[in-house]
Amino acid sequence: MDTWNLTALAVTLGLFAGLYVLGRNRLNFSVLTFVALFVGAGVGLVFRDHVDYIQPLGRVYINLLLTIVAPLVIVSILSSITSLGSTEKLRTIGTSSVVWLMGLNALAILLTLGLSLWIGVGKNADLATQGVDTRALDEIKKPFAEVFIGFFPTNIVQDISENNIIPIIVFTLLIAVACSLVADRSPEKVAPLISLIEAAREIIYKAVGFVIALTPYAVLVLTAVAASTASAGKEQLSALLGLLVVAYIACFVHAFVVNAVVLRVAADVNPVAFFRKIAPAQLTAFTTQSSAGTLPVTTSVLTSRVGVPADVAGFTAPLGTTIGMPGCAGVWPIILAVFAVNGLGIDYSLADYAVLALLSLLVSIGTAGVPGTATITATTVLAAAGLPLEVVVLTLPISAIVDMARTMNNVTAAAVAATVVARRAGRLDDVMFASSHDEPLGRRRQLPPGVETADGVPVGVCGIDDRPTSSTITR
């Protein structure tokens, strides 16, 4: 057996014990996750190329997250809609969610286009695309019509097994709306089903809490593996390094600057406090590179820390793993397109860039929130715009590194959209958001005595283990 790999495993298990002790001493969950991030980077740099025995630990966590995604989406939407009381609320939440998710992606597209053209991404790169094999890309690119048809399920069992979020949402909406309509006329007929939904909701949310508790340990392992891989790959071309830097700048500016403005203007929310509260979701996204896999963490921080009602978080956050996706469907296709235009000296007009932006926005509808989806969206956009697919192949060596920032941006935008939707509906829990103490994810939050809504029901009980309140305090 490899001595270095065994040593890396022993060190990692020892660090796990340290994280456990820190957690038992009530160290803030976000701080604990950050500690795991930096410690994991150190492990990866020290044991480069010798992380074979700890890599499976990270994969186990990702598998657990992906396993819980479909059940979480189903019970969240079913429970949310049956508790809304009217289809009017469903239309309001649904329309508002789509508008804000797409709007945030449109801002990412405009930001990336302006930044790429200003910096001149790809200029003097002297790209050589002759002889580059694009047959693999030809197999994954899809016309928009095919993407649209894929929104509607033909085999819901297969969709659940493959975590195809949009078909799952469509099917669940169909059942939930039908249940609500039947309940309007004969509530006694659907009462057993609603009770079953509520029981399933409590069980699934409890299971989510178990999985999320493993986040710091998983972040340590996943960061170690990523750092080890990055430290081993030193044969990057200067043009690709420049592309990587610009992509990171675009993702982080959109995630923390553009979203900060949106939060302040559209939701009257303190951006610094917001980013601190959703940090576990951002770090999970950064290390797992999966928006769908991060969904349990995203939903949990929204409901138990930010103060987004469970029905809004349970609808908007899952929708944000397939609609919008500014990192994968906004930043990456646009930056690759400009890279191709400049690197190959293609004559491109302002109208061509406008069409490119529109294509990227359309392709963002139905983007899969899983690792590698940016390659699919970039291939689809470049093919539709008539740009060479060889550029996508040439940039694959840095794509996995950029995917960390892209996924973090995706998850941040989904959380921002959910928060704005809750605020615009007058249902964001300001008492919970203003709390300086972050409760452990998935745990019921207790408010001080005497805090009540207008109808006498205590506010702040819309965490992941709670039903949404009938009304909440708003500014």
Side-chain angles (χ1 to χ4, degrees):
M1 298 180 71
D2 192 316
T3 303
W4 277 99
N5 277 308
L6 282 175
T7 305
L9 177 61
V11 170
T12 301
L13 294 177
L15 293 172
F16 280 0
L19 291 176
Y20 177 78
V21 172
L22 291 175
R24 294 286 293 180
N25 290 330
R26 298 186 178 278
L27 181 66
N28 182 281
F29 189 84
S30 299
V31 175
L32 188 64
T33 310
F34 270 112
V35 169
L37 178 72
F38 290 109
V39 171
V43 171
L45 292 174
V46 171
F47 295 99
R48 61 183 65 181
D49 297 330
H50 298 285
V51 294
D52 295 343
Y53 294 167
I54 66 174
Q55 186 172 10
L57 300 177
R59 287 302 313 169
V60 167
Y61 176 76
I62 294 175
N63 288 346
L64 288 173
L65 282 176
L66 293 175
T67 298
I68 208 72
V69 166
L72 177 62
V73 171
I74 292 172
V75 299
S76 295
I77 294 178
L78 286 175
S79 177
S80 299
I81 292 178
T82 54
S83 66
L84 286 176
S86 69
T87 54
E88 178 62 30
K89 289 185 179 179
L90 172 61
R91 287 194 295 269
T92 301
I93 293 176
T95 302
S96 183
S97 297
V98 172
V99 168
W100 282 105
L101 288 169
M102 295 293 286
L104 289 172
N105 188 37
L107 292 176
I109 291 171
L110 294 176
L111 166 69
T112 307
L113 188 57
L115 183 65
S116 301
L117 291 176
W118 176 57
I119 294 178
V121 173
K123 285 186 176 179
N124 303 320
D126 193 24
L127 298 180
T129 59
Q130 289 80 7
V132 177
D133 188 359
T134 63
R135 286 176 295 179
L137 297 181
D138 292 333
E139 295 177 359
I140 65 173
K141 64 181 180 181
K142 296 180 180 180
F144 179 75
E146 184 178 342
V147 173
F148 179 75
I149 294 172
F151 292 171
F152 302 93
T154 56
N155 186 337
I156 190 61
V157 175
Q158 180 179 350
D159 289 323
I160 291 174
S161 68
E162 297 176 355
N163 276 327
N164 296 326
I165 301 298
I166 283 287
I168 293 173
I169 291 177
V170 171
F171 177 80
T172 308
L173 284 175
L174 176 66
I175 300 301
V177 171
C179 179
S180 297
L181 292 175
V182 173
D184 290 340
R185 297 189 299 269
S186 305
E188 70 281 356
K189 291 184 177 179
V190 295
L193 176 59
I194 294 177
S195 297
L196 178 62
I197 291 171
E198 292 308 304
R201 176 183 178 276
E202 293 296 327
I203 294 171
I204 294 298
Y205 280 9
K206 181 62 69 174
V208 168
F210 294 151
V211 176
I212 290 173
L214 300 175
T215 298
Y217 309 95
V219 166
L220 190 157
V221 172
L222 293 168
T223 305
V225 174
S228 174
T229 302
S231 63
K234 301 179 180 179
E235 299 179 357
Q236 303 293 341
L237 298 175
S238 59
L240 292 182
L241 286 175
L243 183 66
L244 184 149
V245 171
V246 175
Y248 261 76
I249 292 174
C251 285
F252 274 82
V253 168
H254 183 267
F256 293 101
V257 178
V258 173
N259 282 324
V261 174
V262 171
L263 284 167
R264 177 58 73 185
V265 173
D268 191 21
V269 163
N270 183 334
V272 176
F274 176 85
F275 292 133
R276 176 177 61 80
K277 289 174 180 291
I278 70 165
Q282 292 177 312
L283 289 172
T284 303
F286 193 85
T287 52
T288 63
Q289 302 177 40
S290 173
S291 299
T294 309
L295 183 58
V297 187
T298 307
T299 305
S300 183
V301 297
L302 286 172
T303 54
S304 63
R305 295 184 170 197
V306 179
V308 176
D311 55 337
V312 176
F315 185 86
T316 307
L319 201 63
T321 65
T322 51
I323 290 181
M325 301 281 284
C328 293
V331 171
W332 194 238
I334 292 296
I335 203 171
L336 285 193
V338 176
F339 184 71
V341 169
N342 289 335
L344 297 172
I346 300 174
D347 185 19
Y348 229 58
S349 66
L350 184 61
D352 292 326
Y353 282 118
V355 171
L356 179 68
L358 180 60
L359 287 171
S360 188
L361 187 63
L362 291 175
V363 169
S364 70
I365 303 175
T367 302
V370 295
T373 190
T375 299
I376 299 175
T377 56
T379 300
T380 303
V381 170
L382 265 64
L387 295 172
L389 299 182
E390 290 86 350
V391 173
V392 180
V393 178
L394 292 174
T395 56
L396 286 178
I398 65 168
S399 185
I401 302 175
V402 179
D403 204 25
M404 294 186 287
R406 291 190 303 240
T407 309
M408 181 277 298
N409 193 12
N410 296 338
V411 169
T412 303
V416 169
T419 304
V420 173
V421 169
R423 169 64 78 201
R424 308 298 283 188
R427 302 179 58 207
L428 187 66
D429 187 345
D430 289 318
V431 175
M432 177 180 290
F433 185 86
S435 174
S436 59
H437 175 67
D438 290 332
E439 293 292 335
L441 301 184
R443 182 175 298 177
R444 183 182 298 273
R445 179 180 181 272
Q446 301 294 334
L447 281 181
V451 180
E452 297 180 334
T453 63
D455 55 6
V457 179
V459 300
V461 291
C462 55
I464 198 165
D465 287 332
D466 300 299
R467 298 295 302 157
T469 59
S470 56
S471 61
T472 54
I473 292 177
T474 56
R475 288 194 180 102

